[in-house]
Coordinates of all heavy atoms in Angstrom, one line a residue:
M158 N 29.0 1.0 -21.0 CA 28.1 2.0 -20.4 C 28.4 2.2 -18.9 O 29.1 1.4 -18.3 CB 26.7 1.6 -20.6 CG 26.2 1.6 -22.0 SD 26.5 3.2 -22.8 CE 25.1 4.1 -22.2
K159 N 27.8 3.2 -18.3 CA 28.0 3.5 -16.9 C 27.4 2.4 -16.0 O 26.3 2.0 -16.2 CB 27.4 4.8 -16.6 CG 28.5 6.0 -16.7 CD 27.9 7.2 -16.1 CE 28.9 8.3 -16.2 NZ 28.3 9.6 -15.7
K160 N 28.1 2.0 -15.1 CA 27.6 1.1 -14.1 C 27.0 1.9 -12.9 O 27.6 2.8 -12.3 CB 28.7 0.2 -13.6 CG 28.2 -1.0 -12.8 CD 29.4 -1.9 -12.4 CE 30.1 -1.3 -11.2 NZ 31.2 -2.1 -10.7
R161 N 25.8 1.6 -12.6 CA 25.1 2.3 -11.5 C 25.1 1.3 -10.3 O 24.6 0.2 -10.4 CB 23.7 2.7 -11.9 CG 23.7 3.9 -12.8 CD 22.8 5.0 -12.1 NE 23.0 6.3 -12.8 CZ 23.7 7.3 -12.4 NH1 24.4 7.2 -11.2 NH2 23.8 8.4 -13.0
S162 N 25.6 1.8 -9.2 CA 25.5 0.9 -8.1 C 24.9 1.6 -6.9 O 25.1 2.8 -6.7 CB 26.9 0.4 -7.7 OG 27.7 1.5 -7.4
G163 N 24.1 0.9 -6.1 CA 23.6 1.5 -4.9 C 22.5 2.5 -5.2 O 22.2 2.8 -6.4
P164 N 22.0 3.1 -4.2 CA 20.9 4.1 -4.3 C 21.4 5.4 -4.8 O 22.4 5.9 -4.3 CB 20.3 4.3 -2.9 CG 21.5 3.9 -2.0 CD 22.4 2.9 -2.8
A165 N 20.8 5.9 -5.9 CA 21.1 7.2 -6.6 C 22.4 7.8 -6.1 O 23.5 7.3 -6.1 CB 19.9 8.1 -6.5
F166 N 22.3 9.1 -5.7 CA 23.4 9.8 -5.2 C 23.5 9.8 -3.7 O 22.5 10.0 -3.0 CB 23.4 11.3 -5.7 CG 24.0 11.4 -7.0 CD1 23.4 12.2 -7.9 CD2 25.2 10.9 -7.3 CE1 23.9 12.4 -9.2 CE2 25.8 11.0 -8.5 CZ 25.1 11.8 -9.5
N167 N 24.6 9.6 -3.1 CA 24.8 9.8 -1.7 C 25.4 11.2 -1.5 O 26.5 11.4 -1.7 CB 25.7 8.7 -1.2 CG 25.8 8.8 0.4 OD1 25.2 9.7 1.0 ND2 26.6 8.0 1.0
Q168 N 24.5 12.1 -1.1 CA 24.9 13.5 -0.9 C 25.4 13.8 0.5 O 25.5 14.9 0.8 CB 23.8 14.4 -1.3 CG 23.4 14.3 -2.8 CD 24.2 15.3 -3.6 OE1 25.1 16.0 -3.1 NE2 23.9 15.4 -4.9
E169 N 25.5 12.8 1.3 CA 25.9 13.0 2.7 C 27.4 13.1 2.8 O 28.2 12.4 2.1 CB 25.4 11.9 3.6 CG 24.0 12.0 4.0 CD 23.5 10.8 4.7 OE1 24.3 10.1 5.3 OE2 22.3 10.6 4.7
K170 N 27.9 14.0 3.7 CA 29.3 14.1 3.9 C 29.8 12.8 4.6 O 29.2 12.4 5.6 CB 29.5 15.3 4.8 CG 31.0 15.6 5.0 CD 31.2 16.8 5.8 CE 32.6 17.1 6.2 NZ 32.8 18.2 7.0
R171 N 30.8 12.3 4.1 CA 31.4 11.1 4.7 C 32.8 11.4 5.2 O 33.5 12.2 4.5 CB 31.4 9.9 3.7 CG 30.0 9.3 3.5 CD 30.1 8.1 2.7 NE 30.1 8.4 1.3 CZ 30.8 7.6 0.4 NH1 31.4 6.5 0.8 NH2 30.8 7.9 -0.9
P172 N 33.3 10.8 6.2 CA 34.6 11.1 6.7 C 35.7 10.6 5.8 O 35.7 9.5 5.3 CB 34.7 10.3 8.1 CG 33.6 9.3 8.0 CD 32.6 9.8 7.1
L173 N 36.7 11.4 5.5 CA 37.8 11.1 4.7 C 39.1 11.3 5.5 O 39.1 11.9 6.6 CB 37.8 12.1 3.5 CG 36.6 12.1 2.6 CD1 36.8 13.2 1.5 CD2 36.3 10.8 2.0
K174 N 40.1 10.7 5.0 CA 41.4 10.8 5.6 C 42.5 11.0 4.5 O 42.2 10.6 3.4 CB 41.8 9.7 6.6 CG 41.9 8.4 5.8 CD 42.3 7.2 6.8 CE 42.5 5.9 6.1 NZ 42.9 4.8 7.0
P175 N 43.6 11.5 4.9 CA 44.7 11.6 3.8 C 45.1 10.3 3.3 O 45.2 9.3 4.0 CB 45.8 12.3 4.6 CG 45.2 12.9 5.8 CD 44.0 12.1 6.1
C176 N 45.3 10.2 2.0 CA 45.6 9.0 1.3 C 47.0 8.5 1.9 O 47.9 9.3 2.0 CB 45.7 9.2 -0.2 SG 46.5 7.9 -1.1
P177 N 47.1 7.2 2.3 CA 48.3 6.7 2.9 C 49.5 6.6 1.9 O 50.6 6.6 2.2 CB 47.9 5.4 3.5 CG 46.7 5.0 2.7 CD 46.0 6.2 2.4
Q178 N 49.1 6.5 0.6 CA 50.1 6.3 -0.4 C 50.8 7.6 -0.8 O 52.0 7.6 -0.9 CB 49.5 5.6 -1.7 CG 50.5 5.3 -2.8 CD 50.0 4.4 -3.8 OE1 49.6 3.3 -3.5 NE2 49.9 4.8 -5.0
C179 N 50.0 8.7 -0.9 CA 50.6 9.9 -1.4 C 50.6 10.9 -0.2 O 51.1 12.1 -0.4 CB 49.9 10.5 -2.6 SG 48.2 10.9 -2.2
H180 N 50.1 10.5 1.0 CA 50.1 11.4 2.2 C 49.3 12.7 1.9 O 49.7 13.7 2.4 CB 51.5 11.7 2.7 CG 52.3 10.4 2.9 ND1 52.1 9.6 4.0 CD2 53.3 9.9 2.2 CE1 52.9 8.6 3.9 NE2 53.7 8.7 2.8
G181 N 48.2 12.5 1.2 CA 47.3 13.7 1.0 C 47.7 14.6 -0.2 O 47.0 15.5 -0.4
A182 N 48.9 14.3 -0.8 CA 49.3 15.2 -1.9 C 48.5 15.0 -3.2 O 48.4 15.9 -4.0 CB 50.8 15.0 -2.1
G183 N 48.1 13.8 -3.4 CA 47.3 13.5 -4.7 C 48.3 13.1 -5.8 O 47.8 12.7 -6.9
F184 N 49.6 13.2 -5.6 CA 50.5 12.7 -6.6 C 51.7 12.0 -5.9 O 51.9 12.1 -4.7 CB 51.0 13.8 -7.5 CG 51.8 14.9 -6.7 CD1 53.1 14.7 -6.4 CD2 51.1 16.0 -6.2 CE1 53.8 15.7 -5.7 CE2 51.8 17.0 -5.5 CZ 53.1 16.8 -5.2
I185 N 52.3 11.2 -6.7 CA 53.5 10.5 -6.2 C 54.7 10.8 -7.1 O 54.5 11.2 -8.2 CB 53.3 9.0 -6.1 CG1 52.7 8.4 -7.4 CG2 52.4 8.6 -4.9 CD1 52.6 6.9 -7.4
K186 N 55.9 10.6 -6.6 CA 57.0 10.9 -7.5 C 58.0 9.7 -7.4 O 59.0 9.7 -6.7 CB 57.7 12.1 -6.9 CG 58.6 12.9 -7.9 CD 59.0 14.2 -7.3 CE 60.0 14.9 -8.2 NZ 60.5 16.1 -7.6
P187 N 57.6 8.7 -8.2 CA 58.4 7.4 -8.1 C 59.8 7.6 -8.6 O 60.8 7.0 -8.1 CB 57.6 6.4 -8.9 CG 56.8 7.3 -9.8 CD 56.5 8.6 -9.1
M188 N 60.0 8.4 -9.7 CA 61.3 8.6 -10.3 C 61.6 10.1 -10.3 O 62.0 10.7 -9.2 CB 61.4 8.1 -11.7 CG 61.0 6.6 -11.8 SD 62.4 5.5 -11.3 CE 63.3 5.5 -12.8
F189 N 61.5 10.7 -11.4 CA 61.8 12.2 -11.5 C 60.6 13.0 -11.7 O 60.6 14.2 -11.6 CB 62.8 12.4 -12.6 CG 64.1 11.6 -12.4 CD1 64.3 10.5 -13.2 CD2 65.0 11.9 -11.4 CE1 65.4 9.7 -13.0 CE2 66.1 11.2 -11.2 CZ 66.4 10.1 -12.0
Y190 N 59.5 12.3 -12.1 CA 58.3 13.0 -12.5 C 57.2 12.8 -11.5 O 57.1 11.7 -11.0 CB 57.8 12.6 -13.9 CG 58.9 12.8 -15.0 CD1 59.6 11.7 -15.5 CD2 59.1 14.1 -15.5 CE1 60.6 11.9 -16.4 CE2 60.1 14.3 -16.5 CZ 60.8 13.2 -16.9 OH 61.8 13.4 -17.9
Q191 N 56.3 13.8 -11.4 CA 55.2 13.6 -10.5 C 54.1 12.8 -11.3 O 53.9 13.1 -12.5 CB 54.6 14.9 -10.1 CG 55.5 15.7 -9.1 CD 54.9 17.0 -8.7 OE1 53.9 17.4 -9.3 NE2 55.5 17.7 -7.8
M192 N 53.5 11.8 -10.7 CA 52.4 11.1 -11.3 C 51.2 11.2 -10.4 O 51.3 11.1 -9.2 CB 52.8 9.7 -11.5 CG 53.9 9.5 -12.5 SD 54.5 7.8 -12.5 CE 53.0 6.9 -12.9
P193 N 50.0 11.2 -11.0 CA 48.8 11.2 -10.2 C 48.7 9.9 -9.4 O 49.0 8.9 -9.9 CB 47.6 11.3 -11.2 CG 48.2 11.2 -12.5 CD 49.7 11.3 -12.5
C194 N 48.4 10.1 -8.1 CA 48.3 8.9 -7.2 C 47.2 8.0 -7.7 O 46.0 8.5 -7.8 CB 48.2 9.4 -5.8 SG 48.0 8.0 -4.6
D195 N 47.4 6.7 -7.9 CA 46.4 5.8 -8.4 C 45.6 5.3 -7.2 O 44.5 4.7 -7.4 CB 46.9 4.7 -9.3 CG 48.0 3.9 -8.6 OD1 48.2 4.1 -7.3 OD2 48.7 3.1 -9.2
R196 N 46.1 5.4 -6.1 CA 45.3 4.9 -4.9 C 44.1 5.7 -4.6 O 43.1 5.2 -4.2 CB 46.3 4.8 -3.7 CG 45.6 4.6 -2.4 CD 45.7 3.1 -2.0 NE 44.9 2.9 -0.8 CZ 45.5 2.4 0.4 NH1 46.8 2.3 0.5 NH2 44.7 2.2 1.4
C197 N 44.2 7.0 -4.7 CA 43.2 8.0 -4.3 C 42.6 8.8 -5.5 O 41.9 9.7 -5.3 CB 43.7 8.9 -3.3 SG 45.0 10.0 -3.9
E198 N 42.9 8.4 -6.8 CA 42.4 9.1 -7.9 C 42.9 10.5 -7.9 O 42.3 11.4 -8.4 CB 40.9 9.1 -8.0 CG 40.3 7.7 -8.0 CD 40.3 7.0 -9.4 OE1 40.9 7.6 -10.3 OE2 39.8 5.9 -9.5
A199 N 44.1 10.7 -7.4 CA 44.8 12.0 -7.3 C 44.0 13.1 -6.5 O 44.2 14.2 -6.6 CB 45.0 12.6 -8.8
S200 N 43.1 12.6 -5.6 CA 42.4 13.5 -4.8 C 43.1 13.8 -3.5 O 42.9 14.8 -2.8 CB 41.0 12.9 -4.5 OG 41.1 11.8 -3.6
G201 N 44.0 12.9 -3.1 CA 44.7 13.0 -1.8 C 43.9 12.5 -0.6 O 44.4 12.5 0.5
V202 N 42.7 12.0 -0.8 CA 41.9 11.5 0.3 C 41.3 10.2 0.0 O 41.1 9.8 -1.2 CB 40.8 12.5 0.6 CG1 41.3 13.8 1.3 CG2 39.9 12.9 -0.6
V203 N 41.1 9.4 1.0 CA 40.4 8.1 0.9 C 39.4 8.0 2.0 O 39.4 8.8 2.9 CB 41.4 6.9 1.0 CG1 42.4 6.9 -0.1 CG2 42.2 7.0 2.4
C204 N 38.5 7.0 1.9 CA 37.5 6.9 2.9 C 38.1 6.6 4.2 O 39.0 5.7 4.3 CB 36.6 5.7 2.5 SG 35.3 5.3 3.7
K205 N 37.7 7.3 5.3 CA 38.3 7.1 6.6 C 38.0 5.7 7.2 O 38.8 5.2 7.9 CB 37.8 8.2 7.5 CG 38.6 8.3 8.8 CD 38.1 9.5 9.7 CE 39.0 9.5 10.9 NZ 38.6 10.6 11.8
E206 N 36.8 5.2 6.9 CA 36.5 3.9 7.5 C 37.1 2.7 6.8 O 37.7 1.9 7.4 CB 34.9 3.8 7.4 CG 34.2 4.5 8.5 CD 32.9 5.1 8.1 OE1 32.3 4.5 7.1 OE2 32.4 6.1 8.6
T207 N 37.1 2.7 5.5 CA 37.6 1.6 4.7 C 39.0 1.8 4.2 O 39.7 0.8 3.9 CB 36.7 1.2 3.5 OG1 36.8 2.3 2.6 CG2 35.3 1.1 3.9
G208 N 39.5 3.0 4.1 CA 40.8 3.3 3.6 C 40.8 3.1 2.1 O 41.9 3.2 1.5
E209 N 39.7 3.0 1.5 CA 39.6 2.8 0.0 C 39.3 4.1 -0.7 O 38.7 5.0 -0.1 CB 38.5 1.8 -0.3 CG 39.0 0.4 0.0 CD 37.8 -0.6 -0.2 OE1 36.8 -0.3 -0.9 OE2 38.0 -1.8 0.2
S210 N 39.7 4.2 -1.9 CA 39.4 5.4 -2.7 C 38.0 5.5 -3.0 O 37.2 4.5 -3.0 CB 40.2 5.4 -4.0 OG 39.7 4.4 -4.8
L211 N 37.5 6.7 -3.2 CA 36.1 7.0 -3.6 C 36.0 6.9 -5.1 O 37.0 7.1 -5.8 CB 35.6 8.3 -3.1 CG 35.4 8.5 -1.6 CD1 36.6 8.5 -0.8 CD2 34.5 9.7 -1.3
T212 N 34.8 6.7 -5.6 CA 34.6 6.8 -7.0 C 34.7 8.2 -7.4 O 34.5 9.1 -6.6 CB 33.2 6.2 -7.5 OG1 32.2 7.0 -6.9 CG2 33.0 4.8 -7.0
K213 N 34.9 8.5 -8.7 CA 35.0 9.9 -9.2 C 33.7 10.6 -8.8 O 33.8 11.8 -8.4 CB 35.3 9.9 -10.7 CG 36.7 9.4 -11.0 CD 37.5 10.5 -11.8 CE 39.0 10.1 -11.8 NZ 39.4 9.4 -12.9
E214 N 32.6 10.0 -9.0 CA 31.3 10.7 -8.7 C 31.3 11.1 -7.2 O 30.9 12.2 -6.9 CB 30.1 9.8 -9.0 CG 29.8 9.7 -10.5 CD 30.4 8.4 -11.1 OE1 31.4 7.9 -10.6 OE2 29.9 8.0 -12.2
D215 N 31.7 10.1 -6.4 CA 31.6 10.4 -4.9 C 32.6 11.5 -4.6 O 32.4 12.3 -3.7 CB 31.9 9.1 -4.1 CG 30.7 8.3 -3.9 OD1 29.6 8.8 -4.1 OD2 30.8 7.1 -3.6
L216 N 33.8 11.4 -5.2 CA 34.8 12.4 -4.9 C 34.3 13.8 -5.2 O 34.5 14.7 -4.4 CB 36.0 12.1 -5.8 CG 37.2 11.3 -5.2 CD1 38.3 11.2 -6.2 CD2 37.7 12.0 -3.9
V217 N 33.7 14.0 -6.3 CA 33.2 15.3 -6.7 C 32.2 15.8 -5.6 O 32.3 16.9 -5.2 CB 32.5 15.2 -8.1 CG1 31.7 16.6 -8.4 CG2 33.5 15.0 -9.2
I218 N 31.3 14.9 -5.2 CA 30.3 15.3 -4.2 C 31.0 15.6 -2.9 O 30.8 16.7 -2.3 CB 29.3 14.2 -4.0 CG1 28.4 14.0 -5.2 CG2 28.4 14.4 -2.8 CD1 27.6 12.8 -5.3
Q219 N 31.9 14.7 -2.4 CA 32.6 14.9 -1.1 C 33.4 16.2 -1.1 O 33.5 16.9 -0.2 CB 33.4 13.7 -0.8 CG 32.6 12.5 -0.5 CD 31.6 12.6 0.7 OE1 32.0 13.2 1.7 NE2 30.4 12.2 0.5
L220 N 34.1 16.4 -2.2 CA 35.0 17.6 -2.3 C 34.2 18.9 -2.4 O 34.5 19.9 -1.9 CB 36.0 17.5 -3.4 CG 37.0 16.3 -3.3 CD1 38.0 16.3 -4.5 CD2 37.8 16.5 -2.0
R221 N 33.1 18.7 -3.1 CA 32.2 19.9 -3.3 C 31.6 20.3 -2.0 O 31.5 21.5 -1.6 CB 31.1 19.6 -4.3 CG 30.3 20.8 -4.8 CD 28.9 20.9 -4.3 NE 28.2 19.7 -4.7 CZ 27.3 19.1 -3.8 NH1 27.2 19.5 -2.6 NH2 26.7 18.1 -4.2
I222 N 31.1 19.3 -1.2 CA 30.6 19.6 0.2 C 31.6 20.3 1.0 O 31.3 21.3 1.6 CB 30.2 18.2 0.9 CG1 29.0 17.6 0.2 CG2 29.9 18.5 2.4 CD1 28.6 16.2 0.7
R223 N 32.9 19.9 0.9 CA 33.9 20.5 1.7 C 34.2 21.9 1.2 O 34.5 22.8 2.0 CB 35.2 19.6 1.7 CG 35.0 18.5 2.7 CD 36.0 17.4 2.4 NE 35.9 16.4 3.4 CZ 34.9 15.5 3.5 NH1 33.9 15.5 2.6 NH2 34.9 14.6 4.5
L224 N 34.2 22.1 -0.1 CA 34.5 23.4 -0.7 C 33.4 24.4 -0.3 O 33.7 25.5 0.1 CB 34.5 23.3 -2.2 CG 34.8 24.5 -3.0 CD1 36.2 25.0 -2.7 CD2 34.7 24.3 -4.5
T225 N 32.1 23.9 -0.3 CA 31.0 24.8 0.1 C 31.2 25.2 1.6 O 31.0 26.3 2.0 CB 29.7 24.0 -0.1 OG1 29.6 23.7 -1.4 CG2 28.5 24.9 0.3
E226 N 31.6 24.2 2.4 CA 31.8 24.5 3.8 C 32.9 25.5 4.0 O 32.8 26.5 4.8 CB 32.2 23.2 4.6 CG 31.0 22.3 4.9 CD 31.5 21.0 5.6 OE1 32.7 20.8 5.8 OE2 30.6 20.3 5.9
R227 N 34.0 25.4 3.3 CA 35.1 26.3 3.4 C 34.7 27.7 3.0 O 35.0 28.7 3.6 CB 36.3 25.9 2.6 CG 37.0 24.7 3.0 CD 37.7 24.9 4.4 NE 38.5 23.7 4.8 CZ 37.9 22.7 5.4 NH1 36.7 22.7 5.7 NH2 38.7 21.7 5.7
N228 N 33.9 27.8 1.9 CA 33.4 29.1 1.4 C 32.6 29.7 2.4 O 32.6 30.9 2.6 CB 32.7 28.9 0.1 CG 33.6 28.6 -1.1 OD1 34.8 28.9 -1.0 ND2 33.1 28.1 -2.2
Q229 N 31.7 28.9 3.1 CA 30.8 29.5 4.1 C 31.6 30.0 5.3 O 31.4 31.0 5.9 CB 29.8 28.5 4.5 CG 28.7 28.3 3.5 CD 27.8 27.1 3.8 OE1 28.1 26.3 4.6 NE2 26.7 27.0 3.0
E230 N 32.7 29.2 5.7 CA 33.5 29.6 6.7 C 34.2 30.9 6.4 O 34.3 31.8 7.2 CB 34.6 28.6 7.0 CG 34.2 27.4 7.8 CD 35.2 26.3 7.9 OE1 36.4 26.6 7.8 OE2 34.9 25.2 8.2
L231 N 34.7 31.0 5.2 CA 35.4 32.2 4.7 C 34.5 33.4 4.8 O 34.9 34.5 5.2 CB 35.9 32.0 3.3 CG 36.9 33.0 2.7 CD1 38.2 33.0 3.6 CD2 37.3 32.6 1.3
V232 N 33.3 33.3 4.3 CA 32.3 34.4 4.4 C 32.1 34.8 5.8 O 32.1 36.0 6.1 CB 30.9 33.9 3.7 CG1 29.8 34.9 4.0 CG2 31.1 33.8 2.2
E233 N 31.9 33.8 6.7 CA 31.7 34.1 8.1 C 32.9 34.8 8.7 O 32.7 35.8 9.4 CB 31.4 32.8 8.9 CG 31.2 33.0 10.3 CD 30.0 33.9 10.7 OE1 29.1 34.1 9.8 OE2 29.9 34.3 11.8
V234 N 34.1 34.4 8.4 CA 35.3 35.0 9.0 C 35.4 36.4 8.5 O 35.8 37.3 9.2 CB 36.6 34.1 8.6 CG1 37.8 34.9 8.9 CG2 36.6 32.8 9.4
R235 N 35.2 36.6 7.2 CA 35.3 38.0 6.6 C 34.3 38.9 7.3 O 34.5 40.0 7.5 CB 35.0 37.9 5.1 CG 36.3 37.5 4.4 CD 36.0 37.5 2.9 NE 37.2 37.1 2.1 CZ 37.2 36.6 0.9 NH1 36.1 36.3 0.4 NH2 38.3 36.3 0.3
R236 N 33.0 38.3 7.5 CA 32.0 39.1 8.1 C 32.4 39.6 9.5 O 32.3 40.7 9.9 CB 30.7 38.3 8.2 CG 29.4 39.1 8.3 CD 28.2 38.2 8.5 NE 28.3 37.4 9.6 CZ 28.1 37.7 10.9 NH1 27.8 39.0 11.1 NH2 28.3 36.9 11.9
Q237 N 33.0 38.6 10.3 CA 33.5 38.9 11.6 C 34.6 39.9 11.6 O 34.7 40.8 12.5 CB 33.9 37.6 12.3 CG 32.8 36.7 12.7 CD 33.2 35.4 13.3 OE1 34.4 35.2 13.6 NE2 32.3 34.5 13.5
M238 N 35.5 39.8 10.7 CA 36.6 40.7 10.6 C 36.1 42.1 10.3 O 36.6 43.1 10.8 CB 37.6 40.2 9.5 CG 38.5 39.1 10.0 SD 39.6 38.5 8.7 CE 40.6 39.9 8.4
A239 N 35.2 42.2 9.4 CA 34.6 43.5 9.0 C 33.9 44.1 10.2 O 34.0 45.3 10.5 CB 33.6 43.3 7.9
A240 N 33.2 43.3 11.0 CA 32.5 43.8 12.2 C 33.6 44.2 13.2 O 33.4 45.3 13.8 CB 31.7 42.7 12.8
M241 N 34.7 43.5 13.4 CA 35.7 43.9 14.3 C 36.4 45.2 13.9 O 36.6 46.1 14.7 CB 36.8 42.8 14.4 CG 36.4 41.6 15.3 SD 37.5 40.2 15.1 CE 39.0 40.9 15.7
R242 N 36.6 45.3 12.6 CA 37.2 46.5 12.1 C 36.3 47.7 12.3 O 36.8 48.8 12.7 CB 37.5 46.3 10.6 CG 38.7 47.1 10.1 CD 39.0 46.9 8.6 NE 39.3 45.4 8.4 CZ 38.8 44.7 7.4 NH1 37.9 45.2 6.6 NH2 39.1 43.5 7.3
A243 N 35.0 47.5 12.1 CA 34.1 48.6 12.3 C 34.0 49.0 13.8 O 34.0 50.2 14.1 CB 32.7 48.1 11.8
E244 N 34.1 48.0 14.6 CA 34.1 48.3 16.1 C 35.4 49.1 16.5 O 35.3 50.0 17.2 CB 34.1 47.0 16.9 CG 32.7 46.7 17.4 CD 32.7 45.3 18.0 OE1 33.6 45.0 18.8 OE2 31.7 44.5 17.7
S245 N 36.5 48.6 16.0 CA 37.8 49.2 16.4 C 38.0 50.6 15.9 O 38.6 51.5 16.6 CB 39.0 48.3 16.0 OG 39.1 48.3 14.6
N246 N 37.5 51.0 14.7 CA 37.6 52.4 14.3 C 36.4 53.2 14.6 O 36.4 54.4 14.4 CB 38.1 52.5 12.9 CG 37.0 52.0 11.9 OD1 35.8 52.0 12.2 ND2 37.4 51.7 10.7
G247 N 35.4 52.5 15.1 CA 34.2 53.2 15.6 C 33.4 54.1 14.7 O 32.7 55.0 15.2
R248 N 33.6 54.0 13.4 CA 32.8 54.9 12.6 C 32.3 54.1 11.3 O 33.0 53.2 10.9 CB 33.6 56.1 12.2 CG 34.8 55.8 11.4 CD 35.7 57.0 11.4 NE 37.1 56.6 11.3 CZ 37.8 56.6 10.1 NH1 37.2 57.0 9.0 NH2 39.0 56.3 10.1
G249 N 31.2 54.5 10.9 CA 30.7 54.1 9.6 C 30.0 52.8 9.6 O 28.7 52.7 9.4
Y250 N 30.7 51.6 9.8 CA 30.2 50.4 9.3 C 29.3 49.6 10.3 O 28.9 48.5 10.1 CB 31.3 49.5 8.8 CG 32.2 50.2 7.9 CD1 33.5 50.6 8.2 CD2 31.7 50.5 6.6 CE1 34.3 51.2 7.3 CE2 32.5 51.2 5.7 CZ 33.8 51.5 6.1 OH 34.6 52.2 5.2
G251 N 29.1 50.2 11.5 CA 28.4 49.5 12.6 C 26.9 49.5 12.3 O 26.4 49.7 11.2
A252 N 26.1 49.3 13.4 CA 24.7 49.1 13.3 C 24.0 50.1 12.5 O 23.2 49.9 11.7 CB 24.1 49.0 14.7
G253 N 24.3 51.4 12.8 CA 23.6 52.5 12.1 C 24.2 52.9 10.8 O 23.7 53.7 10.1
G254 N 25.3 52.3 10.5 CA 26.1 52.7 9.3 C 25.4 52.3 8.0 O 24.6 51.4 7.9
S255 N 25.9 52.9 6.9 CA 25.2 52.7 5.7 C 25.8 51.5 4.9 O 25.1 50.9 4.1 CB 25.3 54.0 4.8 OG 26.7 54.3 4.6
R256 N 27.0 51.1 5.2 CA 27.7 50.1 4.4 C 27.3 48.7 4.9 O 27.5 47.7 4.2 CB 29.2 50.3 4.5 CG 29.7 51.5 4.0 CD 29.8 51.4 2.4 NE 30.8 50.4 2.0 CZ 32.1 50.7 1.9 NH1 32.6 51.8 2.2 NH2 32.9 49.7 1.5
Y257 N 26.9 48.6 6.1 CA 26.6 47.3 6.7 C 25.1 47.0 6.6 O 24.3 47.6 7.2 CB 27.0 47.2 8.1 CG 26.9 45.8 8.7 CD1 27.7 44.8 8.4 CD2 25.8 45.5 9.6 CE1 27.5 43.5 8.9 CE2 25.7 44.3 10.1 CZ 26.5 43.3 9.8 OH 26.3 42.0 10.3
H258 N 24.8 45.9 5.8 CA 23.4 45.6 5.6 C 22.9 44.4 6.5 O 21.7 44.1 6.5 CB 23.1 45.3 4.1 CG 23.5 46.4 3.2 ND1 22.8 47.6 3.2 CD2 24.5 46.6 2.3 CE1 23.3 48.4 2.3 NE2 24.3 47.8 1.8
G259 N 23.8 43.8 7.1 CA 23.5 42.6 7.9 C 22.8 41.5 7.1 O 22.6 41.6 5.9
D260 N 22.5 40.4 7.8 CA 21.8 39.4 7.2 C 21.3 38.4 8.2 O 21.4 38.6 9.4 CB 22.6 38.7 6.0 CG 24.0 38.4 6.5 OD1 24.2 38.3 7.7 OD2 24.9 38.2 5.6
Ligands
ZN56 ZN1 46.9 9.1 -3.0

């Protein structure tokens, strides 16, 4: 059965660093074939403080936190680009425009 250790879920973002064994790739190539890196569970990252791999549960949480952050960054960058485009061509999408709803 599943082993539960520590307090429920740790949903906090923890510092990670590239895995020293696969250099962040998540796989190694000992001979001719790529194999998932066993040091980091093929994630390419390990705990920055201890240098140890995270459990699969922790990995999902940590990678999900980062994915969410990236998505939010992407949304923000796209919003800024759209605003810049609207400014530079000076029509339509600005404050009074119909296409921009703001948020
Ligand atoms: Zn690795």
